[in-house]
Amino acid sequence: MKLKRSITVAVMILVLLLTACGSKNNQQAATKTELETVKMASWSQPIAEQTNLLVSEEKDFFKNAGLDVEFIPGAGGGDAIKNILSGKADIAFTDPGSLYFALNQGEKLKVIYNIYPQNVFNVVSLKESNITKPEDLKGKKIGVYSLSSGTRQNLLVLLNQAGLTEKDVTIVETGLLNFAPLMQGQVDATAATDTGLVTAREKGLADVNVLEVKDYLNVPSDLFVVTEKTYNEKKDMLKKFVEAYQMSAEWMMNEPEEAAALAVKHAIDGKDKNHNREIIKLRNEASISQATSDRGLGALETDVLQQGADSYKQLGLIEEDLHMSDFIVEDFIK
C-alpha cells in the first residue's frame, strides 16, 4: 500500500510539473505570437556599435512596445535601401548618400529618425604616403567597405572637393575589415569610420593621416528610412519602433559598461569588452547634436540634409534637385 501511495503521489507531482511547464511554454508562445515583427535592414552585420538593437534577450525595449525586431544584415547603406524597396524589410538603417542616390532615381522614401547626427566617415593613410589633403588622393588605390557603402560615397565627396572623380583613383572593395589591406600595403588609403580606425589601431596600425569628411560636409552618418508605402500603412508600428529605439539608445548612453559586456555575446566584432567600450563611446557621442538636445534623440535637421543633397548635386554625384522637406517626417520623434 505504501509503495502504491508513493507511486500515486509521484505521478501526481509529475503531472503538475508537466502542466506547469506546458502552461509556461504556452504563455511564452502566446507572448511571442502577440509581438509584431519589424524587419530592420542594416548596412552591416550585427556589430558592437549597434548593441542597443541586439539585446532583445536581455532588454525589453522593443518587446514592451509589442515588437519583435528582425535584424537583416547588409554590405553597405545601398543594400539596406534595396531591402526596403524590395519589401524584404520595413526599415532601413542607412546613410544619407544612399538615400540621395535612391531619391535621385525617383524612389519614394521617408526619413523618420536621425541615428547619428555627426559625420563619422574618414579616409586614412599611412604617414609615409604623405596624403594630407584630398588632392593627394589622385592616382592612389583606395579601399572601401563596398561599392554600395557610405565609405565609397563619402570618399567621392572628398575627391570632388579636389576636383577629382572615381576615374582619378582606383577603388577597391575590401569588406568591413578594410584596414588590413592598408596595413599590408595593398592600398594607399582606406575609406572608413572612426570606429574602424579604433579597431585598426588596436591591431597595430602605425601612425596615420586622417582626412575627416565632416571637415568638408558634416551631414549625418546614418538615418532610419522607410518607403512611402510603409510610412502610410504602418504608422503605429513605426511610432512604437522609434520610441523603443530612443529608449535603447538612452540605455546605451547611460549604461556603456553593461552594453560593452552584452556586445561580447551579440556582436560579431564584440569579443573584447574594452574594445566594445571604445566603440560604444564613439557612437554615443555621434548620436548627440544641438538638435537632439533641443528636441530629443533622433531629431532631424532638414537644412543639414538639404545642404548634403545640394552638395551631392553640385559635385555631380546626383542629377536631380532634391527638396528634402518633402521626404523628412518627425511624426514619431518623442
Side-chain angles (χ1 to χ4, degrees), residues 166-192:
E166 285 183 274
K167 295 179 180 179
D168 295 305
V169 300
T170 300
I171 294 180
V172 181
E173 285 188 278
T174 57
L176 190 60
L177 301 177
N178 63 336
F179 276 96
L182 177 67
M183 296 168 70
Q184 295 165 7
Q186 296 172 1
V187 296
D188 301 300
T190 192

Side-chain angles (χ1 to χ4, degrees), residues 47-165:
I47 52 180
E49 63 188 69
Q50 301 163 345
T51 296
N52 58 311
L53 276 167
L54 308 176
V55 293
S56 59
E57 291 180 22
E58 296 84 4
K59 300 294 177 181
D60 296 329
F61 307 119
F62 295 97
K63 289 178 184 176
N64 287 342
L67 303 176
D68 177 28
V69 178
E70 179 181 339
F71 187 103
I72 300 175
D79 278 3
I81 294 284
K82 290 175 185 176
N83 278 324
I84 61 170
L85 291 175
S86 66
K88 293 179 181 178
D90 302 301
I91 301 171
F93 189 133
T94 190
D95 61 280
S98 296
L99 169 68
Y100 297 148
F101 292 150
L103 293 175
N104 182 65
Q105 294 170 0
E107 303 296 351
K108 296 180 179 180
L109 302 172
K110 294 290 185 182
V111 185
I112 63 171
Y113 191 93
N114 194 351
I115 304 172
Y116 304 131
Q118 306 300 330
N119 191 312
V120 300
F121 289 92
N122 53 41
V123 174
V124 182
S125 61
L126 300 181
K127 286 281 189 182
E128 54 263 33
S129 297
N130 292 318
I131 299 174
T132 59
K133 55 186 181 299
E135 290 83 352
D136 297 333
L137 293 170
K138 185 175 183 178
K140 304 298 184 182
K141 186 180 293 185
I142 308 168
V144 298
Y145 291 169
S146 76
L147 295 180
S148 64
S149 72
T151 56
R152 172 179 171 268
Q153 293 149 18
N154 279 275
L155 169 61
L156 297 183
V157 169
L158 279 181
L159 291 175
N160 277 276
Q161 294 299 314
L164 304 175
T165 69

Side-chain angles (χ1 to χ4, degrees), residues 5 31 33 77 81 99 124 137 150 187 226 232 242 259 288 311 328:
R5 286 175 183 168
T31 300
T33 301
I81 294 284
L99 169 68
V124 182
L137 293 170
V187 296
V226 300
N232 289 330
V242 166
I288 299 172
S311 296
I328 295 173

Side-chain angles (χ1 to χ4, degrees), residues 174-240:
T174 57
L176 190 60
L177 301 177
N178 63 336
F179 276 96
L182 177 67
M183 296 168 70
Q184 295 165 7
Q186 296 172 1
V187 296
D188 301 300
T190 192
T193 61
D194 53 357
T195 55
L197 182 55
V198 166
T199 301
R201 280 175 167 155
E202 290 173 351
K203 294 183 178 180
L205 180 66
D207 289 340
V208 293
N209 290 325
V210 182
L211 299 176
E212 300 279 0
V213 178
K214 66 182 179 183
D215 293 336
Y216 301 91
L217 184 64
N218 191 22
V219 294
S221 297
D222 287 290
L223 309 158
F224 281 133
V225 176
V226 300
T227 63
E228 190 175 275
K229 183 175 186 293
T230 297
Y231 169 72
N232 289 330
E233 296 178 358
K234 298 184 178 182
K235 289 186 178 181
D236 184 57
M237 178 271 283
L238 295 176
K239 184 175 187 296
K240 291 177 181 178

